[in-house]
């Protein structure tokens, strides 16, 4: 076994959540994400990096101080493999990136969009596992987060910081400061740009428990329609 | 969509947990499991039945009164498929049931066994996802729970009731009445007896949270070695 586990401390202030920070500060957090991502990518023993944030006890947070985490793994993990495989199957069938198609569909239907700016879209996916599950995705096709953050316009990071702050704030206000996990999904390390994959962030408020049925089946019971959740998140005043 | 969701009320006593019931009473609960299992199996629209129990708030229990649940699904769910596929791969490679091989290994090594009787073995699996995860498995090869419960010696149900009570009691005493899920894993409905699969029960105490890393990777961080957990469960006085 080999790996790396890093903790990204987001602020010296124990009581400031990420959505309370100003946007320029969140840019620095994202910069720390991609600087560590790119640095660790240099170690050929690592095959995948997962960046995530656990907020609140119900989301499994063991430390109170605002922080994100980065774990570098010597293999591509099960869930990432499944997502990559599904995206590849869609690409082979349609000749297009499934995430790009989702973006097009969401922009057409509008009902599930929570927020958008020039570079990013935040929406509740059509088949969410959890109530108020929200994804943030770059409009432009790019499979690798490190590559996107490094090579593209500085503007993109500014826009990512803005939309991340806004969405987390909407979740906090609309749902009464719930526990949540967010997970950055990117392609395996040192893959060439992949036509079939598209990096993104998945935010999962932890409003309902995961119980026997979910463990036994891998299916999720979600009592909240994504259109309803998106409306609620859009309507709240932030 | 089509399905069935049934609640099996285990006792009229609101405050009696399954491990507080006497063994003969637990036999009746198991009888209810397989009678409903066999009855619903007759509906050809159903492809899989999952029987499970959520105990305590951290396990997602929404009702306090002691109960188990049965859900019949029109498809074989993701997790069941993965388990069946893995078992089939092992069978194709070795020519033997992986669960039978696990039983042989556990009986040889003894270190991970929690309890055993004539028909069943209770042990902490070699690579548990959760601390104190405990499996109960019939010694005799059989892929279908309904078939096992119906066709075999009445003795087997007596033995299953006994070991289920004992294991749940050991978990309660050793770990201070923790929340847990248990899930009965069986083969898809109306399959002929499968050489590669072996029905069993998985009990997962919910001592640690499932956080961003687990969600993002499908891997589980478990701080407790199964040998240590089994020793602890064996040593407690019940």
């Amino acid at each position: 076994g080999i790996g790396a586990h890093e903790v990204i401390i987001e602020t010296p202030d124990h009581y400031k959540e990420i959505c309370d920070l100003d946007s320029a500060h969140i840019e620095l957090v994202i910069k720390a994400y991609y600087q560590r991502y790119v640095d660790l990518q240099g170690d050929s023993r690592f095959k995948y990096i997962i960046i995530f944030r656990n907020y609140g006890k119900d989301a499994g947070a063991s430390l109170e101080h605002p922080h994100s985490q980065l774990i570098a793994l010597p293999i591509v993990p099960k869930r990432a493999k499944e997502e990559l495989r599904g995206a590849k199957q869609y690409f082979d069938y349609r000749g297009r990136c499934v995430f790009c198609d989702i973006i097009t569909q969401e922009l057409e239907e509008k009902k599930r969009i929570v927020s958008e700016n020039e570079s990013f879209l935040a929406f509740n996916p059509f088949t969410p596992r959890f109530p108020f599950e929200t994804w943030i995705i770059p409009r432009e096709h790019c499979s690798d987060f490190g590559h996107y953050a490094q090579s593209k316009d500085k503007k993109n990071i500014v826009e990512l910081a803005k939309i991340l702050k806004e969405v987390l704030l909407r979740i906090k206000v609309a749902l009464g400061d719930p526990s949540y996990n967010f997970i950055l999904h990117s392609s395996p390390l040192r893959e060439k740009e992949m036509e079939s994959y598209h990096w993104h962030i998945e935010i999962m408020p932890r409003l309902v428990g995961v119980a026997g049925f979910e463990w036994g089946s891998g299916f999720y019971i979600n009592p909240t329609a994504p259109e309803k959740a998106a409306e609620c998140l859009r309507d709240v005043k932030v």
Side-chain angles (χ1 to χ4, degrees), chain A:
Chain A
I2 189 90
H5 183 191
E6 299 189 349
V7 174
I8 293 144
I9 299 169
E10 295 154 0
T11 159
D13 190 334
H14 190 82
Y15 297 102
K16 270 210 167 154
E17 257 322 299
I18 200 165
C19 61
D20 305 322
L21 300 172
D22 61 43
S23 195
H25 190 133
I26 300 174
E27 284 171 39
L28 296 177
V29 174
I30 297 167
K31 200 171 164 189
Y33 288 177
Y34 75 74
Q35 283 181 340
R36 296 310 306 142
Y37 191 96
V38 169
D39 184 46
L40 288 163
Q41 194 167 29
D43 188 329
S44 64
R45 297 171 303 176
F46 300 148
K47 299 286 184 285
Y48 194 84
I49 286 174
I50 174 166
I51 295 172
F52 61 99
R53 189 169 204 282
N54 304 330
Y55 172 67
K57 197 169 165 292
D58 288 340
S62 46
L63 294 166
E64 260 190 13
H65 196 102
H67 69 288
S68 307
Q69 296 178 68
L70 180 156
I71 290 183
L73 295 165
I75 49 172
V76 179
K78 178 173 185 289
R79 294 254 174 142
K81 264 189 188 163
E82 288 169 358
E83 192 180 49
L84 289 158
R85 194 189 303 131
K88 178 72 166 55
Q89 276 169 1
Y90 185 93
F91 187 87
D92 289 345
Y93 177 58
R94 294 275 191 184
R96 297 189 303 267
C97 164
V98 62
F99 296 94
C100 288
D101 273 10
I102 289 172
I103 292 169
T104 307
Q105 187 175 339
E106 294 304 337
L107 287 170
E108 266 170 29
E109 300 195 10
K110 297 232 180 278
K111 290 181 295 186
R112 286 174 296 274
I113 292 179
V114 175
S115 179
E116 48 178 315
N117 62 30
E118 223 176 298
S119 309
F120 287 87
L121 188 67
F123 67 103
N124 288 175
F126 184 69
T127 51
R129 289 156 296 182
F130 302 99
F132 294 87
E133 178 173 339
T134 305
W135 292 15
I136 296 175
I137 193 162
R139 287 176 189 265
E140 198 179 341
H141 182 86
C142 180
S143 62
D144 183 276
F145 166 69
H147 188 232
Y148 181 90
Q150 273 197 304
S151 69
K152 302 292 161 83
D153 218 332
K154 173 86 172 67
K155 190 195 72 200
N156 289 341
I157 299 306
V158 176
E159 303 270 273
L160 178 56
K162 275 190 199 160
I163 204 162
L164 187 60
K165 178 186 166 75
E166 186 196 329
V167 168
L168 291 176
L169 199 56
R170 286 186 183 280
I171 287 172
K172 182 179 182 173
V173 175
L175 304 172
D177 197 20
S179 296
Y180 67 81
N181 302 109
F182 80 57
I183 299 160
L184 196 153
H185 291 232
S186 186
S187 52
L189 299 181
R190 297 174 304 277
E191 277 277 355
K192 278 188 312 207
E193 182 58 28
M194 295 167 79
E195 286 178 302
S196 61
Y197 194 70
H198 198 125
W199 80 267
H200 61 283
I201 292 171
E202 300 185 5
I203 307 168
M204 298 177 296
R206 300 293 292 268
L207 304 162
V208 294
V210 171
F213 177 72
E214 285 82 357
W215 284 117
S217 66
F219 295 163
Y220 295 86
I221 298 169
N222 177 358
T224 312
E227 295 77 15
K228 199 79 201 156
E231 192 189 342
C232 171
L233 291 175
R234 269 197 316 265
D235 286 356
V236 89
K237 278 214 176 80
V238 294

